[in-house]
Amino acid sequence: MNFVSTRLIAADINASVAFYEKATGTPAIWSTPDFAELKTPVGATLAIGSVRTVPLFAPGSADPAANRSAILEFLVDDVDALWKELATWVTDVVAEPQTLPWGNRSLLVRDPDGNLVNFFTPVTPEAREKFGV
């Protein structure tokens, strides 16, 4: 079994896709007007579906802006440099860059649907070794 992607259901798919394209510098691949994917160089994929896709799985099974338990995480080269860029347009900042006890320097924001997004850079020798940077 392979874990291939994480899918978000978005109230406004265009706003959500634009947020992730701009934040990550990764262009989305649109399959339909209701579904897009952002594929990272290491093979992780963030899939974004509109609310119109939910009934295809099971009516009422997912709601945008309802998540309070998951954090999407993106490993970045320099979280402080990224913060300077994001600070000019991200409207929901949860925590500015800070170094966490496990060795990552982390920036926590919310996407247009309120999902938590963590951009981080390993800064301690142990964290850098863990991520091979």
Side-chain angles (χ1 to χ4, degrees):
M1 179 184 304
N2 290 320
F3 184 77
V4 268
S5 70
T6 297
R7 182 182 309 217
L8 300 175
I9 297 300
D12 179 342
I13 190 170
N14 293 312
S16 289
V17 170
F19 171 90
Y20 285 102
E21 283 182 320
K22 190 170 183 179
T24 66
T26 303
I29 301 164
W30 289 85
S31 298
T32 73
D34 289 314
F35 184 76
E37 295 177 305
L38 288 90
K39 297 180 182 231
T40 69
V42 295
T45 298
L46 176 61
I48 304 172
S50 78
V51 293
R52 291 182 295 273
T53 65
V54 174
L56 299 173
F57 292 98
S61 62
D63 295 309
N67 173 43
R68 299 298 289 183
S69 64
I71 302 172
L72 300 175
E73 298 190 301
F74 293 89
L75 174 66
V76 300
D77 291 334
D78 184 344
V79 73
D80 292 294
L82 179 64
W83 169 233
K84 288 178 184 173
E85 293 176 35
L86 296 184
T88 64
W89 63 272
V90 170
T91 58
D92 195 347
V93 178
V94 178
E96 293 185 14
Q98 59 184 318
T99 302
L100 299 173
W102 46 88
N104 293 335
R105 188 146 174 82
S106 176
L107 164 66
L108 195 62
V109 302
R110 290 193 186 275
D111 73 8
D113 282 304
N115 297 301
L116 285 171
V117 183
N118 179 33
F119 298 99
F120 73 95
T121 301
V123 294
T124 64
E126 297 82 9
R128 284 196 291 267
E129 182 180 339
K130 176 182 176 181
F131 290 100
V133 295

